[in-house]
Amino acid sequence: MTLNPPDTLKQKPQTAPKAGQPATRIFVSTFITIFLAEIGDKTQVTTLLMTAESHAPWIVFLGAGSALVLTSFLGVWLGQWLASHLTPRLLDTLAGGVLLVISVALLWDMLQI
């Protein structure tokens, strides 16, 4: 006799987004998340200061925009590579471990003062 766990305990396998999933939904979700994360961060402050110093807003915009596009591309490329080589559970565990190490290092640095 084989005991099967109830349906509520079974984990559903994680799958890639289906081809029918609207691209606009993914785009809007990504845009809002990144936009809110970037407001007031050091990149925005840096571009503000560089524009004020250089008096060349369009050149600063093109340089900063190009850099952000490249870093976003690298993040997507690395994320795609990691997703194809590691399980989602391992990625979550590694991300949690990295954040834990950073938190401990910051706390240690703060307590050394």
Side-chain angles (χ1 to χ4, degrees):
M1 182 171 140
T2 304
L3 294 176
N4 292 325
D7 288 337
T8 56
L9 296 179
K10 291 182 183 176
Q11 290 185 349
K12 295 180 182 179
Q14 292 188 355
T15 59
K18 296 179 181 174
Q21 187 174 6
T24 53
R25 183 175 178 195
I26 297 170
F27 175 84
V28 169
S29 174
T30 303
F31 178 86
I32 290 171
T33 302
I34 300 301
F35 182 79
L36 292 175
E38 292 295 325
I39 289 178
D41 78 338
K42 64 183 182 270
T43 304
Q44 190 177 32
V45 173
T46 301
T47 56
L48 182 144
L49 294 173
M50 291 178 82
T51 301
E53 184 178 305
S54 69
H55 300 287
W58 289 109
I59 302 298
V60 173
F61 172 76
L62 290 173
S66 300
L68 289 171
V69 167
L70 181 59
T71 58
S72 295
F73 169 77
L74 292 173
V76 169
W77 178 74
L78 181 61
Q80 178 74 23
W81 184 85
L82 288 171
S84 67
H85 288 82
L86 302 174
T87 65
R89 182 179 172 103
L90 181 58
L91 283 173
D92 285 345
T93 302
L94 290 173
V98 168
L99 291 174
L100 184 61
V101 167
I102 291 170
S103 299
V104 169
L106 289 172
L107 182 62
W108 178 261
D109 188 49
M110 189 178 75
L111 294 175
Q112 295 300 314
I113 295 176

